[in-house]
């Protein structure tokens, strides 16, 4: 989904802005390795116990991961002016505000990553796939309409909506269904 943002931006804004957006995005998703690893651990428990039995433990793990993502988000937001130039060089300092704006996406994506084992084990693979495709399509349409006029900020907002807020709402609803 994110690569669509890069392609759309690449055809409508200057290359340095695309680079700032790209580094901001890469820094945003680095912590997603944590919920991915947690999801793998949950998958290993599912065959023996099933999704309902695993859900009791999994629910606590999801909540811990969400709190952890909030802590990481806050720390990253504060550290961004130091870390981004350290990692990418001083010329990428303009990526700091973009990173700070996109960082909340981490929470929605953490939630989505953490809940994936429940979607799959409960037989909702097609449902989650259709939701993801619809979200990606809506994001691309939004960016095609607004990036030419609003540039990088349109891509930032599309990511906040379709990778941050929308997944959080969908996963929250699915979490209630798992109860």
């Amino acid at each position: 989904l994110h690569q669509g943002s890069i392609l759309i931006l690449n055809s409508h804004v200057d290359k340095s802005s695309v680079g700032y957006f790209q580094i901001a995005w890469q820094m945003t998703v680095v912590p997603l390795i944590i919920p991915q690893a947690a999801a793998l651990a949950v998958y290993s428990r599912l065959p023996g116990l099933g999704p309902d039995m695993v859900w009791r433990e999994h629910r606590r793990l999801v909540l811990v991961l969400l709190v952890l993502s909030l802590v990481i988000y806050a720390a990253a937001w504060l550290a961004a002016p130091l870390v981004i130039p350290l990692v990418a060089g001083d010329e990428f300092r303009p990526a700091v505000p973009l990173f700070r704006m996109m960082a909340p996406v981490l929470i929605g994506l953490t939630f989505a990553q953490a809940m994936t084992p429940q979607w799959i084990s409960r037989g909702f693979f097609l449902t989650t796939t259709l939701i993801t495709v619809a979200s990606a399509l809506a994001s691309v349409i939004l960016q095609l309409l607004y990036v030419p006029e609003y540039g990088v900020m349109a891509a930032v907002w599309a990511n906040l909506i379709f990778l941050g807020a929308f997944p959080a709402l969908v996963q929250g609803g699915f979490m209630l269904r798992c109860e």
Side-chain angles (χ1 to χ4, degrees), residues 63-133:
L63 295 174
V64 166
L65 288 169
L66 288 173
V67 169
L68 182 60
S69 72
L70 285 169
V71 170
I72 291 170
Y73 161 67
W77 194 93
L78 291 170
L82 300 171
V83 173
I84 289 176
L86 182 68
V87 170
D90 249 5
E91 61 274 11
F92 281 92
R93 217 170 264 292
V96 171
L98 294 176
F99 168 78
R100 285 179 160 177
M101 286 182 264
M102 279 195 292
V105 165
L106 173 63
I107 297 158
L109 291 177
T110 294
F111 206 175
Q113 285 285 334
M115 289 297 293
T116 299
Q118 288 295 323
W119 283 92
I120 304 303
S121 66
R122 292 176 187 270
F124 292 111
F125 179 75
L126 180 59
T127 304
T128 191
T129 300
L130 292 174
I131 290 169
T132 301
V133 168

Side-chain angles (χ1 to χ4, degrees), residues 5-171:
S5 297
I6 298 299
L7 292 172
I8 293 166
L9 285 170
N10 202 37
S11 60
H12 294 286
V13 302
D14 63 282
K15 302 309 177 227
S16 60
S17 294
V18 176
Y20 302 145
F21 181 87
Q22 180 71 359
I23 193 69
W25 178 255
Q26 292 303 321
M27 298 297 286
T28 300
V29 298
V30 164
L32 287 177
I33 191 73
I34 298 167
Q36 288 171 355
L40 288 174
V42 172
Y43 279 123
S44 72
R45 307 241 331 131
L46 284 167
L49 299 173
D52 291 328
M53 292 298 291
V54 170
W55 177 241
R56 294 177 197 157
E57 295 173 26
H58 189 190
R59 176 182 49 226
R60 283 191 301 274
L61 178 61
V62 169
L63 295 174
V64 166
L65 288 169
L66 288 173
V67 169
L68 182 60
S69 72
L70 285 169
V71 170
I72 291 170
Y73 161 67
W77 194 93
L78 291 170
L82 300 171
V83 173
I84 289 176
L86 182 68
V87 170
D90 249 5
E91 61 274 11
F92 281 92
R93 217 170 264 292
V96 171
L98 294 176
F99 168 78
R100 285 179 160 177
M101 286 182 264
M102 279 195 292
V105 165
L106 173 63
I107 297 158
L109 291 177
T110 294
F111 206 175
Q113 285 285 334
M115 289 297 293
T116 299
Q118 288 295 323
W119 283 92
I120 304 303
S121 66
R122 292 176 187 270
F124 292 111
F125 179 75
L126 180 59
T127 304
T128 191
T129 300
L130 292 174
I131 290 169
T132 301
V133 168
S135 178
L137 195 58
S139 178
V140 167
I141 290 168
L142 185 73
Q143 290 179 70
L144 286 171
L145 291 173
Y146 292 105
V147 164
E149 185 173 346
Y150 298 102
V152 171
M153 290 311 300
V156 168
W157 278 102
N159 280 297
L160 283 169
I161 293 166
F162 294 106
L163 294 174
F166 184 69
L169 291 171
V170 169
Q171 301 309 324

